[in-house]
């Protein structure tokens, strides 16, 4: 079975963090969830703790583009494109693509119902997941 295709779109709100809508298509099903940049960082940190060099060989975390570098729309598009490329690379690597943190991250928080309306269902973030994540392993304690 081929890994799903991941599409990321950005939703910018005035004076708020940009939210990234993640849509997954695997031919048989379709769904989407919404995440912030910080959640992508948490996911990458958790995967890096587990996979180390293997993860860095597969995909590097994109550099955050700011308005100092570009116009706001260009920065948002660069960030969106970087996150989309990252997720697509991660799901292509069999060992990483089946990792529980990545699967939980991509779990759908909004599903499109049969009538086309969105149904919301809360999913826990990485903070509440058991196991070694950057939020559960604190070397300074």
């Amino acid at each position: 079975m081929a890994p799903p295709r991941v599409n990321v779109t950005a939703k910018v709100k005035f004076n708020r963090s940009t939210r990234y809508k993640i849509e997954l298509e695997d031919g048989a099903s379709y769904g989407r969830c919404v995440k912030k940049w910080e959640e992508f960082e948490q996911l990458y940190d958790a995967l890096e703790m587990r996979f180390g060099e293997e993860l860095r060989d597969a995909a590097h975390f994109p550099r955050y583009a700011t308005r100092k570098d570009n116009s706001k729309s260009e920065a948002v598009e660069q960030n969106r494109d970087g996150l989309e490329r990252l997720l697509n690379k991660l799901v292509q690597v069999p060992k990483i693509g089946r990792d529980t943190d990545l699967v939980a991250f991509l779990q759908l928080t909004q599903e499109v119902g049969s009538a086309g309306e969105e149904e919301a269902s809360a999913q826990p973030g990485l903070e509440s997941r058991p196991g070694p994540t950057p939020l559960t392993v604190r070397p300074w304690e």
Side-chain angles (χ1 to χ4, degrees), residues 110-141:
Q110 294 179 330
E111 294 183 18
V112 178
S114 57
E117 68 277 356
E118 292 181 0
E119 303 165 1
S121 62
Q123 296 292 331
L126 285 178
E127 305 90 18
S128 62
R129 292 191 47 76
T133 68
L135 301 167
T136 58
V137 176
R138 295 186 173 97
W140 57 85
E141 289 182 346

Side-chain angles (χ1 to χ4, degrees), residues 16-132:
R16 296 191 62 201
S17 297
T18 300
R19 304 224 185 249
Y20 300 93
K21 182 169 68 171
I22 305 166
E23 298 176 312
L24 284 83
E25 285 186 73
D26 67 2
S29 61
Y30 168 85
R32 61 181 153 233
C33 58
V34 179
K35 304 288 183 182
K36 294 191 290 185
W37 182 272
E38 295 80 18
E39 293 172 285
F40 286 90
E41 289 176 329
Q42 291 172 355
L43 170 68
Y44 193 85
D45 289 345
L47 294 174
E48 191 172 35
M49 288 178 66
R50 229 176 341 283
F51 297 105
E53 199 62 38
E54 185 178 355
L55 174 69
R56 289 186 292 277
D57 289 343
H60 291 281
F61 195 80
R63 178 177 132 347
Y64 186 76
T66 64
R67 288 177 33 184
K68 292 178 186 175
D69 304 325
N70 309 302
S71 70
K72 178 143 180 103
S73 62
E74 288 173 336
V76 168
E77 175 56 23
Q78 282 182 1
N79 293 334
R80 183 215 58 80
D81 183 59
L83 295 173
E84 182 176 271
R85 281 186 281 115
L86 172 71
L87 289 178
N88 278 301
K89 287 179 182 179
L90 293 177
V91 298
Q92 296 294 323
V93 179
K95 189 175 177 182
I96 297 172
R98 289 188 304 267
D99 181 76
T100 56
D101 280 343
L102 180 59
V103 170
F105 183 82
L106 294 175
Q107 243 177 2
L108 309 177
T109 56
Q110 294 179 330
E111 294 183 18
V112 178
S114 57
E117 68 277 356
E118 292 181 0
E119 303 165 1
S121 62
Q123 296 292 331
L126 285 178
E127 305 90 18
S128 62
R129 292 191 47 76

